[in-house]
């Protein structure tokens, strides 16, 4: 795998090539001719319009198949912008471009100089020379946002009306919910484009099927849509509703009953996304509102510490000594939670046949006795520990006198939304 520098280029193999930019970013692309201009707005690929002939965006990954680009296209320019609009790129980790071929083999990596006040960065461009395609590293910044970039490439940027059957993406939503949160003493949330995109996909799937559900008829859960859009979360909440005809009616509906109102007021959430569609066989409006806090290393550590503290409180009530945190057990527990999300299973036995003691040993632990609790779907450390304590088998692990150490794992995503692991050692 090669390291590209600004201006450097890479000959591409035949077939599709993918570029990925992990982190709190939105990836977009502009399909142009030799003059550097788009032929129409349909040549702008971004989260609200994730596909064009020969180019498809999924989460943080853009896949380009040059032979399938529209006639006359000779260049695809790849840009990255903060997922939180208005945030300078200089306040975020430096974006890094990873290039892979159709089989997923790494081809190149490009880490441009760290941006400063720019809000959009042109990372690379696919371009044609004769009958061959190459990739050139760029690193050019824009300070006037995605709209300014699009205008320079010939995209007409206007405030479009909603598509047929689609409610406006905000239409006062943020003001209504933040007013309700302020009255409850909770900090405001901001809209996140990835959550809006995931909400739109899920609302469309529910409308097409004519029914509400965390998992739609295509077999994809709303949580998988969130992580698929590139938002890794520490905590998540949702409202799935049919009936209200406007954003104001939808918010009023969510504030009417205790459980949905608690979600609106929850101080843990920092971001939100909303979409409503009234297509489909029933003619009803289907709404998806998503609420989340992003996953950070500090947040993950705090969550694990809270689970450990609550576990040790239960042991203290039973007259038992506290469990000490073991980094090796923590690594094994975290790997198992992430594995359950990635391979879509929920079990003490992984698809490869490994059991808790196998995973502990693989992480380097030499403890003689091993026990494991797992859970899925709970939204907080308090909820998951309470659930374990209400289950005899899990409670027995928490209160086992022979255990002296513990590791905690957490991962968001999958069909259930959250996956928790406690790994005990003695």
């Amino acid at each position: 795998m090669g390291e590209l520098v600004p201006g450097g280029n890479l000959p591409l193999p035949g077939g599709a090539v993918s570029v990925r930019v992990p982190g709190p970013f939105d990836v977009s692309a502009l399909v142009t001719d030799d003059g550097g201009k788009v032929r129409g707005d349909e040549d702008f690929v971004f989260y609200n319009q994730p596909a064009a002939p020969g180019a498809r965006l999924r989460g943080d990954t853009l896949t380009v198949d040059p032979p399938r680009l529209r006639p006359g296209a000779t260049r695809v320019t790849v840009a990255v912008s903060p997922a939180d609009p208005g945030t300078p790129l200089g306040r975020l980790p430096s974006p890094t471009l990873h290039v892979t071929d159709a089989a997923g083999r790494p081809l190149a990596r490009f880490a441009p100089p760290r941006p400063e006040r720019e809000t959009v960065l042109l990372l690379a461009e696919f371009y044609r020379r004769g009958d061959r395609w190459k990739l050139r590293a760029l690193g050019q910044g824009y300070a006037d946002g995605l709209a300014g970039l699009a205008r320079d490439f010939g995209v007409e940027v206007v405030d479009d009306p909603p598509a047929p059957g689609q409610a406006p993406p905000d239409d006062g939503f943020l003001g209504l919910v933040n007013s309700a949160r302020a009255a409850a003493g909770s900090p405001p949330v901001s809209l996140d484009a990835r959550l809006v995109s995931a909400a739109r996909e899920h609302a469309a799937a529910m409308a097409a099927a004519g029914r509400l559900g965390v998992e739609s008829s295509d077999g994809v859960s709303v949580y998988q849509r969130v992580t698929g859009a590139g938002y890794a979360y520490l905590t998540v909440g949702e409202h799935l509703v049919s009936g209200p005809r406007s954003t104001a009616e939808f918010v009023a509906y969510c504030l009417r009953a205790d459980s949905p109102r608690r979600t609106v007021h929850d101080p843990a959430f920092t971001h939100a996304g909303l979409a409503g569609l009234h297509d489909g066989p029933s003619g009803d409006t289907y709404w998806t509102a998503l609420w989340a806090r992003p996953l950070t290393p500090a947040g993950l550590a705090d969550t694990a510490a809270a689970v450990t503290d609550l576990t040790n409180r239960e042991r203290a009530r039973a007259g038992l000594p506290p469990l000490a945190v073991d980094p090796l057990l923590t690594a094994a527990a975290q790997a198992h939670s992430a594995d359950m999300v990635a391979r879509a299973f929920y079990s003490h036995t992984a698809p490869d046949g490994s059991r808790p003691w196998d995973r502990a040993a693989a992480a380097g632990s030499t403890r003689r006795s091993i026990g494991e609790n797992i859970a899925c779907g709970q939204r907080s450390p308090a909820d998951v520990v309470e659930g374990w304590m209400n289950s005899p088998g899990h409670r027995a692990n928490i209160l086992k006198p022979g255990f002296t150490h513990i590791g905690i794992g957490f991962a968001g995503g999958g069909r259930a939304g959250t996956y928790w692991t406690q790994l005990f050692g003695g």
Side-chain angles (χ1 to χ4, degrees), residues 4 8-10 12 97 99 124-127 133-137:
L4 293 174
N9 63 71
L10 170 76
L12 296 178
L97 185 80
V99 188
E125 65 176 1
F126 295 82
Y127 66 100
W133 282 81
K134 296 184 176 183
L135 180 79
R136 179 186 291 120

Side-chain angles (χ1 to χ4, degrees), residues 4 7-12 17-19 64 76 78 97-100 107-110 123-128 133-138:
L4 293 174
N9 63 71
L10 170 76
L12 296 178
V17 174
S18 294
V19 292
V64 176
V76 179
V78 182
L97 185 80
H98 301 266
V99 188
T100 57
L107 298 176
R109 178 179 176 273
F110 175 49
L123 276 181
E125 65 176 1
F126 295 82
Y127 66 100
R128 190 176 70 193
W133 282 81
K134 296 184 176 183
L135 180 79
R136 179 186 291 120
L138 297 175

Side-chain angles (χ1 to χ4, degrees), residues 167-188:
D170 183 352
D171 194 23
F173 171 69
L174 212 54
L176 291 167
V177 299
N178 280 336
S179 176
R181 287 173 67 85
S186 298

Side-chain angles (χ1 to χ4, degrees), residues 227-260:
T227 54
Y231 192 109
Y233 57 81
L234 190 63
T235 186
V236 68
E238 72 284 339
H239 289 106
L240 308 176
V241 176
S242 66
R245 302 294 296 179
S246 70
T247 300
E249 288 182 15
F250 169 77
V251 174
Y253 178 90
C254 293
L255 292 172
R256 200 171 297 155
D258 286 344
S259 180

Side-chain angles (χ1 to χ4, degrees), residues 40-402:
D41 293 355
E42 65 276 6
D43 282 345
F44 185 24
V45 178
F46 66 120
Y47 53 82
N48 273 345
Q49 184 172 274
R56 182 171 185 83
L57 179 64
R58 186 171 181 84
D60 60 5
T61 302
L62 174 76
T63 300
V64 176
D65 191 352
R68 297 181 181 275
L69 292 170
R70 64 156 173 85
T74 59
R75 189 181 307 171
V76 179
T77 304
V78 182
V80 67
S81 56
D84 184 10
T87 301
L89 285 167
R91 290 172 53 188
L92 300 175
S94 186
T96 300
L97 185 80
H98 301 266
V99 188
T100 57
D101 65 12
R105 292 183 291 261
L107 298 176
R109 178 179 176 273
F110 175 49
R114 187 178 183 85
E116 294 181 359
R117 303 187 62 171
E118 295 91 341
T119 54
V120 175
L121 189 67
L122 302 188
L123 276 181
E125 65 176 1
F126 295 82
Y127 66 100
R128 190 176 70 193
R129 284 292 179 267
D131 59 352
R132 296 293 306 274
W133 282 81
K134 296 184 176 183
L135 180 79
R136 179 186 291 120
L138 297 175
Q140 175 188 345
Y142 275 72
D144 51 353
L146 209 54
L149 169 69
R151 289 189 184 97
D152 281 1
F153 278 76
V155 177
E156 183 181 359
V157 179
V158 296
D159 293 328
D160 294 323
Q166 182 174 319
D170 183 352
D171 194 23
F173 171 69
L174 212 54
L176 291 167
V177 299
N178 280 336
S179 176
R181 287 173 67 85
S186 298
V189 293
S190 60
L191 285 178
D192 185 280
R194 295 161 296 181
L195 295 181
V196 172
S197 176
R200 184 178 297 113
E201 284 190 13
H202 200 71
M206 291 192 302
R211 63 177 179 85
L212 299 173
V214 168
E215 187 172 305
S216 53
S217 57
D218 58 6
V220 180
S221 78
V222 67
Y223 316 115
Q224 289 169 311
R225 297 189 197 281
V226 172
T227 54
Y231 192 109
Y233 57 81
L234 190 63
T235 186
V236 68
E238 72 284 339
H239 289 106
L240 308 176
V241 176
S242 66
R245 302 294 296 179
S246 70
T247 300
E249 288 182 15
F250 169 77
V251 174
Y253 178 90
C254 293
L255 292 172
R256 200 171 297 155
D258 286 344
S259 180
R261 184 167 58 244
R262 282 196 298 270
T263 299
V264 175
H265 290 167
D266 194 332
F269 298 132
T270 58
H271 294 107
L274 175 70
L277 285 94
H278 51 83
D279 282 340
S282 69
D284 289 334
T285 304
Y286 286 82
W287 296 87
T288 299
L290 294 170
W291 313 81
R293 173 184 290 272
L295 178 70
T296 63
L300 182 59
D302 288 346
T303 295
V307 174
T308 299
D309 179 62
L310 290 165
T311 299
N312 280 333
R313 290 186 194 182
E314 297 295 343
R315 286 178 64 88
R317 290 190 184 100
L320 296 168
L323 301 171
V325 174
D326 183 315
L328 299 178
L329 295 180
T330 297
Q334 183 60 37
H336 188 56
S337 287
D339 193 30
M340 287 191 288
V341 171
R343 292 201 276 181
F345 73 97
Y346 176 65
S347 174
H348 294 287
T349 303
D352 60 8
S354 63
R355 304 293 299 274
W357 41 89
D358 301 318
R359 293 188 287 271
S365 175
T366 57
R367 301 200 177 276
R368 290 176 296 177
S369 61
I370 295 291
E372 183 180 79
N373 286 345
I374 59 174
C376 65
Q378 294 82 359
R379 304 300 173 87
S380 71
D383 287 344
V384 73
V385 174
E386 180 182 7
W388 281 326
M389 289 300 294
N390 289 332
S391 167
H394 298 96
R395 179 187 179 92
N397 273 339
I398 288 174
L399 301 182
K400 185 172 180 177

